[in-house]
Amino acid sequence: MDFHTIVGYVSGLYFIKPDLELSSLLRTASLVHTVDAFLSRLIAAQSGRNKNAWTAAGFILGIWALGALLLLPGKKRVPKDESG
């Protein structure tokens, strides 16, 4: 398996257009992963998860991290004690 195929699968772009040339694939994948990182951060913040970890996961894994985050149930928030 070559670098072109690995980047295509990780980014998910191989399923959309498998014959993209490498330069177009890298530019498109970097843009898509940046957007996925931003969306992962927003969704993680709303669901009570670690924003920084999910931002990094979204940037590295792209749509796969975003999909996993969307499938996870939201964390229950524990109310802070007001007497302390």
Side-chain angles (χ1 to χ4, degrees), residues 11-80:
S11 67
L13 295 171
Y14 192 80
F15 302 110
I16 298 170
K17 188 167 182 174
D19 58 344
L20 273 176
E21 63 182 56
L22 184 59
S23 63
S24 295
L25 177 65
L26 291 175
R27 284 182 282 162
T28 306
S30 64
L31 176 67
V32 169
H33 281 240
T34 302
V35 171
D36 288 337
F38 178 73
L39 290 173
S40 295
R41 184 173 187 87
L42 289 175
I43 294 169
Q46 292 296 317
S47 64
R49 300 193 180 280
N50 186 330
K51 295 184 292 189
N52 293 332
W54 280 102
T55 301
F59 191 73
I60 294 167
L61 299 173
I63 193 72
W64 305 110
L66 187 59
L69 186 58
L70 289 171
L71 292 175
L72 288 173
K75 283 185 149 184
K76 293 183 181 179
R77 296 182 185 195
V78 177
K80 294 184 179 182

